[in-house]
Amino acid sequence: MSFSSLVSDITYRNSERAAQDDKRSQVSRARSYASTAATSVSIAGDISSQLHGGYSHPLSRAWQAERQLTKSMLIYPLFISDQPDEETLIPSLPNQHRRGLNKVVPFLTPLVAKGLKSVILFGVPIAPGAKDALGTNADDPKGPVIKTIRLLRRTFPELFIVADVCLCEYTSHGHCGILRDDGSLNNTLSVDRISDVAMAYAEAGAHCVAPSDMNDGRIRAIKLKLIEAGIAHQIVLMSYSAKFSGCLYGPFRDAAGSCPSFGDRRCYQLPPGGRGLARRAITRDINEGADIIMVKPASQYLDIISDAKEIGKDLPVAAYQVSGEFAMIHAAAKAGVFDLKAMAFEATEGILRAGATIVVSYFTPEFLDWLDN
């Protein structure tokens, strides 16, 4: 290579190196500018738009929930037959059975070992002649609910026992109270009867009585009788304050045999659009002495759960994920729409987010396996 060629080659390489250095300098300046711009954004307050870091880890995601589902939040519904050895699968209510007294303890034993804290009892009289116009067998000392309360108190001393209080399973007409001659509900007689049944369950050993009949004034009547009997200090009164009429109770009625023989329950259960009416009912029941407020159904009434928490901010709020909700989730999961476990959690967490701290759920046995505590 000639001397002049060598000089030209060195000059070219130096020029190329200078160009590369200039590009690096431009990139560095750009990065510096970006950093300065980001600092300017943070100073301006827009840094609050950066959210992802706050839930980048499974634990930090869990911390975002105001309420995290635990086993102690769950109440498991039990259908108790008057046939001691019955154990019948309910076709419309997946994995749920109607059980007689002799089948209850073997069924509950492994669930209690897994952390089951509470059950709610629904009596199912099947024997011929077990139903009449007054629901006489609802508080029969030899009936399924009272006998089961006593059995569970002896066998599982730590289990919290809730007794649903209603007449629909025991009346020949399937309505939630005593009727007038024209077929309408006699509120006065119904409240007196419902409160007597609640007292029978409380005196049998139930920790909590939960009237679901929706008759006006039944919370006050029950509370007064508990006070007169000297046991108000040891009995929780949980009111189905906002119980809506609708089509989500079908599987429950199959299980409990409580479908009305005529008409429907729209004149005493709340209309689906009646948010203001629900708020009034919640306020009334709090003033009458309810210790816990319940909303039923749950997922379709998240606004009512939120209202209940607002109105009863110093009371626990319960929500009943009813049989139709449970059956729909199972049906959709079976059709491949979503994963059953994922939706069970999503639906329940939505209920908690709305304001509930107690959930009556048919998923309870599964949650006992899925939850750590």
Side-chain angles (χ1 to χ4, degrees):
M1 178 181 292
S2 66
F3 179 75
S4 60
S5 298
L6 180 61
V7 172
S8 297
D9 184 58
I10 290 172
T11 302
Y12 173 76
R13 290 181 183 179
N14 288 340
S15 174
E16 188 179 56
R17 189 177 294 111
Q20 290 175 348
D21 290 344
D22 187 56
K23 286 182 179 178
R24 291 194 191 100
S25 178
Q26 289 177 8
V27 170
S28 178
R29 285 197 299 272
R31 287 175 177 166
S32 176
Y33 175 78
S35 176
T36 303
T39 303
S40 299
V41 168
S42 69
I43 293 171
D46 293 339
I47 198 67
S48 61
S49 65
Q50 303 300 305
L51 303 179
H52 290 174
Y55 55 97
S56 57
H57 185 278
L59 182 58
S60 63
R61 284 195 288 275
W63 287 342
Q64 300 301 323
E66 293 181 10
R67 302 169 190 85
Q68 295 184 32
L69 181 63
T70 64
K71 295 177 183 181
S72 63
M73 293 178 170
L74 298 167
I75 301 176
Y76 185 46
L78 294 178
F79 298 100
I80 309 299
S81 168
D82 62 358
Q83 306 299 300
D85 295 313
E86 182 183 4
E87 191 165 40
T88 303
L89 181 68
I90 303 159
S92 58
L93 199 53
N95 305 327
Q96 308 303 306
H97 293 73
R98 192 166 51 239
R99 291 182 170 88
L101 191 68
N102 295 338
K103 300 293 184 179
V104 173
V105 169
F107 171 68
L108 286 181
T109 297
L111 297 183
V112 171
K114 292 178 182 179
L116 178 67
K117 304 297 184 184
S118 180
V119 295
I120 183 168
L121 307 180
F122 298 92
V124 186
I126 296 175
K131 301 187 179 190
D132 59 30
L134 302 179
T136 304
N137 283 329
D139 52 356
D140 181 357
K142 296 181 180 179
V145 172
I146 289 180
K147 291 180 72 174
T148 301
I149 291 171
R150 290 172 175 162
L151 174 64
L152 295 183
R153 286 298 301 263
R154 291 194 307 269
T155 311
F156 305 112
E158 301 303 317
L159 187 66
F160 188 86
I161 302 165
V162 183
D164 177 84
V165 184
C166 198
L167 299 182
C168 60
E169 303 103 313
Y170 301 93
T171 54
S172 51
H173 45 72
H175 282 280
C176 301
I178 297 172
L179 303 183
R180 297 186 178 89
D181 291 340
D182 63 1
S184 61
L185 200 65
N186 187 319
N187 193 86
T188 302
L189 294 182
S190 298
V191 165
D192 191 51
R193 181 80 185 102
I194 287 289
S195 55
D196 281 348
V197 174
M199 286 300 303
Y201 294 164
E203 289 169 346
H207 300 96
C208 173
V209 290
S212 60
D213 55 294
M214 292 297 288
N215 283 287
D216 289 335
R218 86 270 198 220
I219 300 302
R220 174 181 168 80
I222 294 171
K223 198 73 167 186
L224 287 174
K225 288 186 178 181
L226 290 171
I227 292 169
E228 289 170 2
I231 57 175
H233 65 288
Q234 62 189 34
I235 303 297
V236 177
L237 179 49
M238 178 164 63
S239 174
Y240 288 69
S241 296
K243 180 179 178 180
F244 289 83
S245 63
C247 58
L248 289 170
Y249 303 127
F252 176 94
R253 291 172 184 171
D254 291 343
S258 60
C259 188
S261 61
F262 68 91
D264 54 45
R265 296 170 179 156
R266 295 180 185 177
C267 289
Y268 47 98
Q269 294 180 359
L270 302 179
R275 183 176 184 179
L277 192 57
R279 291 176 64 92
R280 289 167 58 196
I282 291 165
T283 301
R284 176 199 64 192
D285 288 358
I286 292 172
N287 291 337
E288 290 187 4
D291 299 303
I292 301 173
I293 296 300
M294 186 191 290
V295 177
K296 176 183 178 180
S299 296
Q300 282 76 7
Y301 295 91
L302 298 179
D303 58 327
I304 309 301
I305 296 173
S306 180
D307 286 348
K309 190 59 183 174
E310 173 204 333
I311 297 167
K313 57 183 179 295
D314 298 322
L315 276 69
V317 173
Y320 195 147
Q321 187 185 58
V322 300
S323 59
E325 296 174 75
F326 176 77
M328 284 195 297
I329 292 173
H330 265 272
K334 186 176 181 180
V337 175
F338 44 62
D339 177 73
L340 180 68
K341 178 180 176 181
M343 181 49 71
F345 270 101
E346 186 172 336
T348 307
E349 287 166 354
I351 293 165
L352 298 182
R353 187 184 66 248
T357 52
I358 302 165
V359 183
V360 183
S361 174
Y362 297 98
F363 279 114
T364 297
E366 287 82 2
F367 279 132
L368 294 177
D369 290 326
W370 295 337
L371 293 168
D372 293 329
N373 54 60

